Amino acid sequence: MSFSIDLDNKNFLTGGGILSEYIIEAREIEYKYPDGTKALDNISFKAKKGEKLAFLGPNGAGKTTLFLHLNGILKPEKGEVIFAGRPISYRQKSLQELRSRVGIVFQDPDDQLFAANVFQEISFGPLNMGLSKKDAEIRVSRAMRQTGVEDLKNRPTHYLSQGQKKRVSIADILAMDPEVIIFDEPTASLDPKHKTQIVDLLDEINREGITVIMSTHDVDLAYSWADYIYVMVEGAILGEGIPGRIFSDEILLKEAGLNKPMLLEVFSMLQKKGIIENEIDLPADIKGLALLINSGSHTNKKGNGDD
Ligand code: ADP
């Protein structure tokens, strides 16, 4: 079978001609900042197409540094980043192409937004990719609709609220029509209402088949949202697994300084009091827990990985 990557219909074949299950991977990457700070130490991870992946870890764990490797902003000293089955190339043209397919939404929108108004801001990516003005406008309208910023179209980006800036920075990336979107602490410094809106938006984006990767400190969010979790501490991956397994691993939680999600704390208390049986799967969310309390039935979405 021939070696090919079909850029148009996004069918990716690897060198062996086998359709790769993973859209993006890091293999044993190491990185030191110019001042000598070792930020990444032998990091490997894989994201499946359409997966929701969370990186959990304290400040300084290396999450942002890792993310900056995934679209080639930083280049590892050792190891490699694989996109669609092939190591990424650091040539200017390849990087530009990669960045339209792997987008990063920065934690602070002010690090990302630079154009005078919202329309110009969101148009920049598609125009820069070489799309015609008409095609770019179609992309921009769609991205504005998805993120609910149509009413802000002519507003100066500078005067938007934090929540509005966040949505515009997501529209920026969506307008490029990427296959992977990486969110660095997407809910940090948002109030509960805006946090819910952003999480709903992430889910909507994911339902379209886009792989969504996020970093967060929020164990409740990671538990309820992610398909799979990597735990990072001091530039290394300390553990990985489905949420139920990660949050059942008391040693890992202690070593990483992570709390248990509130839902699981309540679940354990109810088990200790004999209100919920011991041999039951973990609830996926508050509704699942309520169901367990009311009827004794159970959900196995989050499982503890032992089955
Ligand atoms: P996280 O996103 O998990 O908070 P970072 O990737 O920002 O972690 O940081 C990882 C490590 O790299 C930390 O020790 C941090 O101080 C250091 N670091 C981050 N950016 C720089 C930089 N530009 N120069 C030097 N060290 C940096």
Side-chain angles (χ1 to χ4, degrees):
M1 206 177 279
S2 66
F3 180 87
S4 72
I5 288 191
D6 184 339
L7 296 184
D8 291 328
N9 70 16
K10 294 168 184 171
N11 277 331
F12 303 113
L13 298 178
T14 60
I18 299 162
L19 203 58
S20 176
E21 185 189 357
Y22 298 100
I23 184 78
I24 195 157
E25 296 173 45
R27 288 191 192 153
E28 297 174 1
I29 64 175
E30 305 210 351
Y31 184 78
K32 219 188 267 154
Y33 279 101
D35 70 355
T37 307
K38 178 134 190 170
L40 298 181
D41 185 11
N42 198 27
I43 295 279
S44 296
F45 89 91
K46 291 176 177 181
K48 286 183 189 152
K49 288 174 192 169
E51 197 169 36
K52 298 198 288 188
L53 218 62
F55 280 85
L56 258 178
N59 283 333
K63 303 179 296 295
T64 306
T65 307
L66 172 63
F67 289 174
L68 295 176
H69 280 77
L70 300 183
N71 73 354
I73 294 173
L74 295 178
K75 189 175 177 185
E77 279 167 43
K78 281 193 195 150
E80 54 189 7
V81 175
I82 312 285
F83 177 69
R86 295 215 299 186
I88 65 173
S89 153
Y90 292 87
R91 283 198 301 271
Q92 198 49 41
K93 203 162 176 302
S94 308
L95 283 179
Q96 200 182 347
E97 149 88 13
L98 176 71
R99 285 172 196 163
S100 69
R101 300 167 75 179
V102 180
I104 300 184
V105 177
F106 288 100
Q107 178 175 355
D108 182 354
D110 290 321
D111 289 341
Q112 191 178 323
L113 306 181
F114 66 94
N117 75 31
V118 168
F119 184 78
Q120 288 168 359
E121 174 64 45
I122 305 170
S123 305
F124 180 81
L127 289 175
N128 200 37
M129 281 165 73
L131 292 189
S132 69
K133 218 170 150 219
K134 192 166 159 256
D135 287 342
E137 268 182 33
I138 293 170
R139 291 270 193 100
V140 173
S141 298
R142 194 189 61 192
M144 287 199 302
R145 204 170 48 247
Q146 279 177 294
T147 52
V149 299
E150 291 141 305
D151 294 347
L152 307 174
K153 184 175 177 180
N154 297 312
R155 293 269 297 276
T157 43
H158 190 65
Y159 293 118
L160 301 177
S161 72
Q162 244 354 67
Q164 289 169 332
K165 282 182 180 174
K166 192 76 188 177
R167 280 186 283 142
V168 172
S169 66
I170 297 173
D172 250 1
I173 302 299
L174 282 174
M176 313 273 275
D177 203 13
E179 285 134 84
V180 178
I181 307 189
I182 297 163
F183 293 87
D184 200 356
E185 300 273 356
T187 58
S189 74
L190 294 180
D191 60 38
K193 182 180 146 204
H194 289 103
K195 178 179 159 184
T196 305
Q197 282 177 357
I198 293 294
V199 175
D200 288 348
L201 179 57
L202 262 56
D203 283 341
E204 201 182 305
I205 290 169
N206 178 254
R207 275 195 294 275
E208 290 183 5
I210 298 175
T211 304
V212 180
I213 300 177
M214 73 149 82
S215 65
T216 184
H217 302 282
D218 185 335
V219 289
D220 297 300
L221 176 61
Y223 177 73
S224 62
W225 179 84
D227 295 324
Y228 200 82
I229 294 175
Y230 286 90
V231 177
M232 274 185 83
V233 176
E234 292 178 6
I237 291 184
L238 209 58
E240 63 175 282
I242 58 171
R245 183 183 286 276
I246 292 290
F247 291 109
S248 305
D249 186 340
E250 305 284 348
I251 296 168
L252 172 67
L253 295 180
K254 192 155 184 263
E255 277 181 19
L258 293 171
N259 292 327
K260 264 197 181 178
M262 181 73 83
L263 187 74
L264 298 190
E265 293 283 16
V266 175
F267 178 75
S268 310
M269 267 168 45
L270 293 171
Q271 280 186 322
K272 278 187 196 131
K273 288 196 170 291
I275 296 169
I276 292 176
E277 283 172 41
N278 278 332
E279 298 304 316
I280 231 153
D281 283 351
L282 302 176
D285 51 28
I286 192 78
K287 279 187 201 146
L289 183 63
L291 212 67
L292 284 177
I293 296 167
N294 288 331
S295 67
S297 60
H298 66 277
T299 169
N300 60 7
K301 176 176 180 272
K302 292 289 169 185
N304 60 12
D306 290 336
D307 39 32

